Amino acid sequence: MTPLPPAPGLDPQSQWQRFCSLLWHDTGMGVWLDVSRMGLDSAGLEAMRPKFDQALAAMDALEQGAIANPDEQRQVGHYWLRAPQLAPDPASAGHIQAEVDRIEAFGREVLSGAIAPAPGQRFTDVLWIGIGGSGLGPLLMIRALQDPGSGLPFHFFDNVDPDGMRRTLASLGERLRTTLVIVVSKSGGTPEPHIGMLQARRAVESAGGQWIRQAVAVTMLGSRLDQEAEQGDWLARFDMFDWVGGRTSITSAVGLLPGVLIGSDIRAFLKGAAAMDAATRDHDLFNNPAALLAASWYQAGGGRGQRDMVVLPYRDRLEVFSRYLQQLVMESLGKKLDRNGQVVHQGLAVYGNKGSTDQHAYVQQLRDGVDNFFVTFIEVLEDPGDIPPLEGENPGDFLDGFLQGTRSALTEEGRHNLSITLQRLDATSLGALIALFERAVGLYGELVNVNAYHQPGVEAGKKAAAALLDLQARLEQAMADQQEHTLADLQQRMGLESPESLYWILRHLCANRRHIDARGDWGNPETLVFKHD
């Protein structure tokens, strides 16, 4: 990979001219984008125009209802969620708008006490059960938009870690009787939210709560979860459309329902996303911020993802944003095959936390170490008005100074970086920020000729996990004869090429005292002997 230093070799006036030519700003949204320090210039962007003509045409077709995920014969319609009039048919447009209205009305009635867990009570908490985008999207909404004392406090089952579940349930305690439990699963059959739902229901009912007055489902119409919620007369059901993927579901019920339950303005959130969508449809590359973003990624990484994306938002409220982008970017772009079936191993790794914390963590390596990354700075200009300067020191000034100082230090060493600036951080600007990255990911996927809307690797992992759980069940059944077995005996009995998977399963079962004893040395697997007690 040939380094393309963004500043060294350019005199200050030339750098200023490059900055002016590659700076995008929208006054209405209050958003700036500067990609002038990414090894990209006007001539390089012009040279990419043929690729972008194809990419933008593909995005136009996607919004018009083309099949974007041929693996599942699915459309990709998250853009319609914030502009229902763009949906390919009037019925879909009406359905989208009706769901937004229902979500808003439900949230307001929960907060007002009109919807309650029992007469004379009010909901005090929300337990959100979702995995992947169904967990990260809501978490981002809450961390970024919830003000102290506004709406309901949220708790999460976003994993199947029993210790995490135990701690969450313990923190709720008696308030489980007044906790709104929201279960999110698009297909209705994903194991993690189903397991979380079972544990939550047991805990709610053990605490004296009423599941049917506290449980809400967010899923596709007609799914296993939808049927269970309908037959069980749950409190509410909201649609998670077939044409919305988990990593782009934040402007669906997945993000809107928590948004209204924390007292945020979900209409403003959708408005911000719609405004950015409109800006990123522009076929003039210099006026399209998503095209500028995708072009800078492509240029910096040689079109092969040879530089990682380090995300540094300089606001605590955006601390979760790097985790959110990990799924959006890496699940979309990390592909073995391109659209022609050729092995390409594409991708773009994402990591980060927040500034200025990370200046005291890994910025040392970013400036002086291996040059295999670019930094995405995110700043917010307006500070909260209730944190005054003390002893002449203003925290916001220092935060801005640290950002500009780190940016300058990296540029001096020829390290690639770009900057996104928000006038203020609110529901509108968060919607715009998310929509900017969604479109940039779609455009970049077209530039490198991969399908950004399927996830065969994720599905492969799910299938492998299911196979191992099936093997565990068969293993426990085979050992019920209470005879002693070595790993070699069990390998032959189970018809496996290697005993390694059995070793992992048995270690877990023995550690949890699941009716299997072991003697021997776990560090020397061939000495181990197992028996069902």
Side-chain angles (χ1 to χ4, degrees), residues 71-128:
D71 292 356
E72 300 172 326
Q73 284 298 299
R74 279 179 174 164
Q75 298 168 310
V76 172
H78 52 276
Y79 298 108
W80 310 331
L81 295 169
R82 47 262 197 167
Q85 69 276 11
L86 297 179
D89 59 84
S92 295
H95 190 180
I96 294 166
Q97 189 57 60
E99 282 298 297
V100 175
D101 293 342
R102 288 182 61 233
I103 289 165
E104 191 170 49
F106 176 82
R108 286 177 175 174
E109 290 182 343
V110 167
L111 295 182
S112 70
I115 294 177
Q121 294 183 334
R122 297 172 71 106
F123 282 108
T124 59
D125 299 83
V126 178
L127 174 57
W128 188 276

Coordinates of all heavy atoms in Angstrom, one line a residue, residues 71-128:
D71 N -29.9 -13.3 -2.1 CA -29.9 -14.6 -1.3 C -31.3 -14.8 -0.7 O -31.7 -16.0 -0.6 CB -28.9 -14.4 -0.1 CG -27.5 -14.3 -0.6 OD1 -27.2 -14.5 -1.8 OD2 -26.6 -14.2 0.3
E72 N -32.0 -13.8 -0.3 CA -33.3 -13.9 0.3 C -34.4 -13.3 -0.5 O -35.5 -13.2 0.0 CB -33.3 -13.3 1.7 CG -32.2 -14.0 2.6 CD -32.1 -13.2 3.9 OE1 -32.2 -12.0 3.9 OE2 -31.8 -13.9 5.0
Q73 N -34.1 -12.8 -1.7 CA -35.0 -12.2 -2.6 C -35.7 -11.0 -1.9 O -37.0 -10.9 -1.9 CB -36.0 -13.2 -3.1 CG -35.5 -14.1 -4.3 CD -35.1 -13.3 -5.5 OE1 -35.9 -12.6 -6.1 NE2 -33.8 -13.3 -5.8
R74 N -34.9 -10.2 -1.2 CA -35.5 -9.1 -0.4 C -35.1 -7.8 -0.9 O -34.0 -7.6 -1.4 CB -35.0 -9.2 1.1 CG -35.8 -10.2 1.9 CD -35.2 -10.3 3.3 NE -36.0 -11.1 4.2 CZ -35.7 -11.6 5.3 NH1 -34.5 -11.3 5.8 NH2 -36.5 -12.3 6.1
Q75 N -36.0 -6.8 -0.8 CA -35.7 -5.4 -1.0 C -35.0 -4.9 0.2 O -35.0 -5.5 1.3 CB -37.0 -4.6 -1.3 CG -37.8 -5.1 -2.5 CD -39.1 -4.5 -2.5 OE1 -39.9 -4.5 -1.6 NE2 -39.5 -3.9 -3.7
V76 N -34.4 -3.7 0.1 CA -33.8 -3.0 1.2 C -34.4 -1.6 1.3 O -34.2 -0.8 0.4 CB -32.2 -2.9 1.0 CG1 -31.6 -2.0 2.1 CG2 -31.6 -4.3 1.1
G77 N -35.2 -1.4 2.3 CA -36.1 -0.2 2.3 C -36.0 0.7 3.5 O -36.9 1.4 3.8
H78 N -34.8 0.7 4.2 CA -34.7 1.5 5.3 C -34.9 3.0 5.0 O -35.2 3.8 5.8 CB -33.5 1.3 6.1 CG -32.2 1.3 5.3 ND1 -31.7 0.3 4.6 CD2 -31.3 2.4 5.2 CE1 -30.6 0.6 4.0 NE2 -30.3 1.9 4.3
Y79 N -34.6 3.4 3.7 CA -34.7 4.8 3.3 C -36.2 5.2 3.3 O -36.6 6.3 3.5 CB -34.1 5.0 1.9 CG -32.6 4.7 1.9 CD1 -32.1 3.6 1.3 CD2 -31.8 5.6 2.5 CE1 -30.8 3.4 1.2 CE2 -30.4 5.4 2.5 CZ -29.9 4.3 1.9 OH -28.5 4.1 1.9
W80 N -37.1 4.2 3.1 CA -38.5 4.5 3.0 C -39.1 4.8 4.4 O -40.1 5.5 4.6 CB -39.3 3.3 2.5 CG -38.8 2.8 1.2 CD1 -38.1 3.6 0.2 CD2 -38.9 1.5 0.7 NE1 -37.7 2.7 -0.8 CE2 -38.2 1.5 -0.6 CE3 -39.4 0.3 1.2 CZ2 -38.1 0.3 -1.3 CZ3 -39.3 -0.8 0.4 CH2 -38.7 -0.8 -0.8
L81 N -38.4 4.4 5.5 CA -38.9 4.6 6.8 C -39.0 6.0 7.2 O -39.8 6.4 8.0 CB -37.9 3.9 7.8 CG -37.9 2.3 7.7 CD1 -36.8 1.8 8.6 CD2 -39.2 1.7 8.2
R82 N -38.1 6.9 6.6 CA -38.1 8.3 6.9 C -38.7 9.1 5.8 O -38.8 10.3 5.9 CB -36.7 8.8 7.3 CG -35.6 8.4 6.4 CD -34.8 7.2 6.9 NE -33.5 7.1 6.3 CZ -32.5 6.3 6.7 NH1 -32.7 5.6 7.8 NH2 -31.4 6.3 6.1
A83 N -39.1 8.5 4.7 CA -39.8 9.1 3.6 C -40.7 8.1 3.0 O -40.5 7.6 1.9 CB -38.8 9.6 2.5
P84 N -41.8 7.8 3.7 CA -42.8 6.8 3.2 C -43.3 7.0 1.8 O -43.6 6.0 1.1 CB -43.9 6.9 4.2 CG -43.3 7.5 5.5 CD -42.3 8.4 5.0
Q85 N -43.3 8.3 1.3 CA -43.8 8.5 0.0 C -42.9 7.9 -1.1 O -43.3 7.7 -2.2 CB -43.9 10.0 -0.3 CG -42.6 10.8 -0.4 CD -42.0 11.2 1.0 OE1 -42.5 10.7 2.0 NE2 -41.0 12.0 1.0
L86 N -41.7 7.5 -0.7 CA -40.7 6.9 -1.7 C -41.0 5.3 -1.7 O -40.4 4.7 -2.6 CB -39.3 7.1 -1.2 CG -38.8 8.6 -1.3 CD1 -37.4 8.7 -0.8 CD2 -39.0 9.2 -2.6
A87 N -41.7 4.8 -0.9 CA -42.0 3.3 -0.9 C -42.6 3.0 -2.2 O -43.3 3.8 -2.9 CB -42.9 2.9 0.2
P88 N -42.3 1.8 -2.7 CA -42.7 1.4 -4.1 C -44.2 1.2 -4.3 O -44.7 1.1 -5.4 CB -42.0 0.1 -4.3 CG -41.7 -0.5 -3.0 CD -41.5 0.7 -2.1
D89 N -45.0 1.2 -3.2 CA -46.5 1.1 -3.4 C -47.2 1.8 -2.3 O -46.6 2.0 -1.2 CB -46.9 -0.4 -3.4 CG -46.5 -1.2 -2.1 OD1 -47.3 -1.1 -1.2 OD2 -45.5 -1.8 -2.1
P90 N -48.4 2.3 -2.5 CA -49.1 3.0 -1.5 C -49.4 2.3 -0.2 O -49.4 2.9 0.9 CB -50.4 3.4 -2.2 CG -50.1 3.3 -3.7 CD -49.1 2.2 -3.8
A91 N -49.6 1.0 -0.3 CA -49.9 0.2 0.9 C -48.7 0.2 1.8 O -48.9 0.4 3.0 CB -50.2 -1.3 0.5
S92 N -47.5 0.1 1.3 CA -46.3 0.1 2.1 C -46.1 1.5 2.8 O -45.8 1.6 3.9 CB -45.0 -0.3 1.3 OG -45.1 -1.6 0.9
A93 N -46.4 2.5 2.0 CA -46.2 3.9 2.5 C -47.2 4.1 3.7 O -46.9 4.7 4.7 CB -46.5 4.9 1.4
G94 N -48.4 3.6 3.5 CA -49.4 3.8 4.5 C -49.1 3.0 5.8 O -49.3 3.5 6.9
H95 N -48.5 1.8 5.6 CA -48.2 0.9 6.7 C -47.1 1.6 7.5 O -47.1 1.6 8.7 CB -47.7 -0.4 6.1 CG -47.5 -1.4 7.2 ND1 -47.1 -2.7 6.9 CD2 -47.7 -1.4 8.6 CE1 -47.0 -3.4 8.0 NE2 -47.3 -2.6 9.0
I96 N -46.1 2.2 6.8 CA -45.0 2.8 7.5 C -45.5 4.0 8.4 O -45.1 4.1 9.6 CB -43.9 3.3 6.5 CG1 -43.2 2.2 5.8 CG2 -42.9 4.2 7.2 CD1 -42.5 2.6 4.5
Q97 N -46.3 4.8 7.8 CA -46.8 6.0 8.5 C -47.6 5.6 9.7 O -47.6 6.2 10.8 CB -47.6 6.9 7.6 CG -47.9 8.2 8.2 CD -46.7 9.0 8.7 OE1 -45.8 9.3 7.9 NE2 -46.6 9.3 10.0
A98 N -48.5 4.5 9.5 CA -49.3 4.1 10.6 C -48.5 3.5 11.7 O -48.9 3.7 12.9 CB -50.3 3.0 10.0
E99 N -47.4 2.8 11.4 CA -46.6 2.3 12.5 C -45.9 3.4 13.3 O -45.8 3.4 14.5 CB -45.5 1.4 11.9 CG -46.0 0.0 11.6 CD -46.5 -0.8 12.7 OE1 -45.7 -1.0 13.7 OE2 -47.7 -1.1 12.8
V100 N -45.5 4.5 12.6 CA -44.9 5.6 13.3 C -45.9 6.2 14.3 O -45.6 6.6 15.4 CB -44.3 6.7 12.4 CG1 -43.8 7.9 13.1 CG2 -43.2 6.1 11.5
D101 N -47.1 6.4 13.8 CA -48.2 7.0 14.6 C -48.5 6.1 15.8 O -48.7 6.6 16.9 CB -49.5 7.1 13.7 CG -49.3 8.2 12.6 OD1 -48.4 9.0 12.7 OD2 -50.1 8.1 11.7
R102 N -48.5 4.8 15.6 CA -48.8 3.9 16.7 C -47.7 3.9 17.7 O -48.0 3.9 18.9 CB -49.0 2.4 16.1 CG -50.3 2.2 15.4 CD -50.3 0.7 14.9 NE -50.3 -0.2 16.1 CZ -49.5 -1.2 16.3 NH1 -48.5 -1.5 15.4 NH2 -49.6 -1.9 17.3
I103 N -46.5 3.9 17.3 CA -45.3 3.9 18.2 C -45.4 5.2 19.0 O -45.2 5.2 20.3 CB -44.0 3.9 17.4 CG1 -43.8 2.5 16.8 CG2 -42.8 4.2 18.3 CD1 -42.8 2.4 15.7
E104 N -45.6 6.3 18.4 CA -45.6 7.6 19.1 C -46.8 7.6 20.1 O -46.6 8.0 21.3 CB -45.8 8.8 18.1 CG -45.5 10.1 18.8 CD -45.4 11.2 17.7 OE1 -46.3 11.3 16.8 OE2 -44.5 12.0 17.8
A105 N -47.9 7.2 19.7 CA -49.1 7.2 20.6 C -48.9 6.2 21.8 O -49.2 6.6 23.0 CB -50.4 6.8 19.9
F106 N -48.3 5.0 21.5 CA -48.1 4.1 22.6 C -47.1 4.6 23.6 O -47.3 4.6 24.8 CB -47.5 2.8 22.0 CG -47.1 1.7 23.0 CD1 -48.1 0.9 23.6 CD2 -45.8 1.6 23.4 CE1 -47.7 -0.1 24.5 CE2 -45.4 0.6 24.3 CZ -46.4 -0.2 24.9
G107 N -46.0 5.2 23.1 CA -45.0 5.8 24.0 C -45.5 6.9 24.9 O -45.2 6.9 26.1
R108 N -46.3 7.7 24.3 CA -46.9 8.8 25.1 C -47.8 8.3 26.2 O -47.8 8.8 27.3 CB -47.6 9.8 24.1 CG -46.7 10.7 23.3 CD -47.5 11.5 22.3 NE -46.6 12.4 21.6 CZ -47.0 13.2 20.6 NH1 -48.3 13.2 20.2 NH2 -46.2 14.0 20.0
E109 N -48.6 7.3 25.8 CA -49.5 6.7 26.8 C -48.8 6.0 27.9 O -49.3 6.0 29.1 CB -50.6 5.8 26.1 CG -51.5 6.6 25.2 CD -52.6 5.7 24.6 OE1 -52.3 4.5 24.5 OE2 -53.6 6.2 24.1
V110 N -47.7 5.4 27.6 CA -46.9 4.7 28.7 C -46.3 5.8 29.6 O -46.4 5.7 30.8 CB -45.8 3.9 28.1 CG1 -44.7 3.5 29.1 CG2 -46.3 2.6 27.4
L111 N -45.8 6.9 29.0 CA -45.2 7.9 29.9 C -46.2 8.7 30.7 O -45.9 9.1 31.8 CB -44.4 8.9 29.0 CG -43.2 8.3 28.3 CD1 -42.4 9.4 27.5 CD2 -42.2 7.7 29.3
S112 N -47.4 8.8 30.1 CA -48.5 9.5 30.9 C -49.1 8.7 31.9 O -49.8 9.2 32.8 CB -49.5 10.0 29.9 OG -50.3 9.0 29.4
G113 N -49.0 7.4 31.9 CA -49.6 6.5 32.8 C -50.9 5.9 32.3 O -51.6 5.1 32.9
A114 N -51.3 6.3 31.1 CA -52.6 5.8 30.5 C -52.5 4.3 30.2 O -53.5 3.6 30.3 CB -52.9 6.6 29.2
I115 N -51.3 3.9 29.8 CA -51.0 2.4 29.7 C -50.2 2.1 30.9 O -49.1 2.7 31.1 CB -50.3 2.1 28.4 CG1 -51.2 2.4 27.2 CG2 -49.8 0.7 28.4 CD1 -50.5 2.1 25.9
A116 N -50.6 1.1 31.7 CA -49.9 0.8 33.0 C -49.9 -0.7 33.2 O -50.7 -1.4 32.7 CB -50.7 1.5 34.2
P117 N -49.0 -1.1 34.1 CA -48.9 -2.6 34.3 C -50.0 -3.1 35.2 O -50.3 -4.3 35.2 CB -47.5 -2.7 35.1 CG -47.3 -1.3 35.7 CD -47.9 -0.4 34.7
A118 N -50.6 -2.2 36.0 CA -51.7 -2.6 36.8 C -52.4 -1.3 37.3 O -51.8 -0.2 37.3 CB -51.3 -3.4 38.0
P119 N -53.7 -1.4 37.7 CA -54.4 -0.2 38.1 C -53.7 0.4 39.3 O -53.2 -0.2 40.2 CB -55.8 -0.8 38.6 CG -55.9 -2.0 37.8 CD -54.6 -2.6 37.6
G120 N -53.5 1.8 39.2 CA -52.9 2.5 40.3 C -51.4 2.5 40.2 O -50.7 3.1 41.0
Q121 N -50.8 1.9 39.2 CA -49.4 1.8 39.0 C -49.0 2.5 37.7 O -49.8 2.8 36.8 CB -48.8 0.4 39.0 CG -49.0 -0.4 40.3 CD -48.4 -1.8 40.2 OE1 -48.3 -2.4 39.1 NE2 -48.0 -2.4 41.3
R122 N -47.6 2.8 37.6 CA -47.1 3.3 36.3 C -45.8 2.5 36.0 O -45.2 1.9 36.9 CB -46.7 4.8 36.5 CG -47.9 5.7 36.7 CD -47.3 7.1 37.1 NE -46.8 7.8 35.9 CZ -47.4 8.8 35.3 NH1 -48.6 9.2 35.7 NH2 -46.9 9.3 34.2
F123 N -45.5 2.4 34.8 CA -44.2 1.8 34.4 C -43.1 2.6 34.9 O -43.1 3.9 34.8 CB -44.1 1.6 32.9 CG -44.9 0.5 32.3 CD1 -46.1 0.7 31.6 CD2 -44.5 -0.8 32.6 CE1 -46.9 -0.3 31.1 CE2 -45.3 -1.9 32.1 CZ -46.5 -1.6 31.3
T124 N -42.1 1.9 35.5 CA -40.9 2.6 36.0 C -39.7 2.4 35.2 O -38.7 3.2 35.3 CB -40.7 2.1 37.5 OG1 -40.4 0.7 37.4 CG2 -41.8 2.4 38.4
D125 N -39.6 1.3 34.4 CA -38.4 0.9 33.7 C -38.7 0.2 32.4 O -39.9 -0.2 32.2 CB -37.5 -0.1 34.6 CG -37.1 0.5 35.9 OD1 -37.9 0.5 36.9 OD2 -36.0 1.0 36.0
V126 N -37.7 0.0 31.6 CA -37.9 -0.8 30.4 C -36.7 -1.8 30.4 O -35.6 -1.4 30.6 CB -37.8 0.1 29.1 CG1 -37.9 -0.8 27.8 CG2 -38.9 1.2 29.1
L127 N -37.1 -3.0 30.1 CA -36.1 -4.1 29.9 C -36.2 -4.4 28.4 O -37.2 -4.9 27.9 CB -36.4 -5.3 30.7 CG -35.5 -6.6 30.4 CD1 -34.0 -6.2 30.6 CD2 -35.9 -7.7 31.3
W128 N -35.1 -4.1 27.7 CA -35.1 -4.2 26.2 C -34.3 -5.5 25.9 O -33.1 -5.7 26.3 CB -34.4 -3.0 25.6 CG -34.5 -3.0 24.1 CD1 -33.6 -3.7 23.2 CD2 -35.4 -2.4 23.3 NE1 -34.0 -3.4 21.9 CE2 -35.1 -2.6 21.9 CE3 -36.5 -1.6 23.5 CZ2 -35.9 -2.1 20.8 CZ3 -37.3 -1.1 22.5 CH2 -36.9 -1.3 21.2

